Amino acid sequence: MKIKSSKQVYDCGLFQVTEDRAVDEKTQFEIKRSVVRHIGSAVMMAVDDKKRVLLVRQYRLPAEKYLWELPAGKLEPGEDALVGAQRELEEETGYRAKKWKPLVEYYASPGFLGESMKVFVAEGLVPGEAH
């Protein structure tokens, strides 16, 4: 598939929405989609010495309820994913980690959302103040 056209129809700073058209050059099969474009995020699976996983409870407006989630956050333009993960873990929870390793990269809903989520395992947790 090759994108033939893409028109931005919305931008809120956190993400953009584009109306895209792609065509398979061999079969001429065409698809049209509204796509949410997002810079990407880092997700931290922070594990303590007792093998417990750190979760944060956040209200999510689209779900209309509080959810328990792995700490995560949007990457800054040009930011290395590991650096973003380290920054976000400390900002959201106050914890820092002595050991980091990449786990997986995935797209949560690739039918319409272009957000790549890079997941890291964080171990050797050191508590601190969230900010």
Side-chain angles (χ1 to χ4, degrees):
M1 296 297 268
K2 182 176 181 180
I3 293 181
K4 290 293 186 179
S5 65
S6 182
K7 177 184 175 189
Q8 183 174 301
V9 295
Y10 180 75
D11 184 346
C12 70
L14 178 60
F15 62 85
Q16 299 79 38
V17 177
T18 59
E19 297 290 337
D20 296 354
R21 185 173 71 86
V23 177
D24 183 309
E25 293 179 335
K26 191 174 188 179
T27 66
Q28 297 306 304
F29 176 74
E30 182 177 314
I31 58 173
K32 295 177 183 176
R33 294 286 184 276
S34 296
V35 179
V36 177
R37 303 283 177 192
H38 186 281
I39 195 167
S41 59
V43 181
M44 293 68 66
M45 189 167 78
V47 182
D48 71 9
D49 294 338
K50 295 180 181 178
K51 304 295 183 201
R52 296 176 299 184
V53 176
L54 178 65
L55 299 175
V56 293
R57 186 170 186 256
Q58 298 188 78
Y59 185 80
R60 294 300 189 180
L61 188 57
E64 299 180 19
K65 60 184 170 182
Y66 283 92
L67 301 174
W68 287 101
E69 306 172 346
L70 293 172
K74 178 181 172 233
L75 296 172
E76 298 298 329
E79 183 177 41
D80 177 77
L82 176 57
V83 171
Q86 293 166 335
R87 174 183 53 76
E88 285 289 343
L89 182 64
E90 189 170 357
E91 284 179 8
E92 288 197 9
T93 71
Y95 281 94
R96 288 177 288 116
K98 295 177 184 174
K99 182 179 173 188
W100 290 85
K101 65 180 177 182
L103 181 62
V104 67
E105 179 180 1
Y106 73 99
Y107 291 81
S109 198
F112 72 95
L113 177 59
E115 178 185 13
S116 164
M117 302 181 84
K118 295 165 185 73
V119 183
F120 295 87
V121 176
E123 297 175 304
L125 300 181
V126 177
E129 294 292 322
H131 44 92

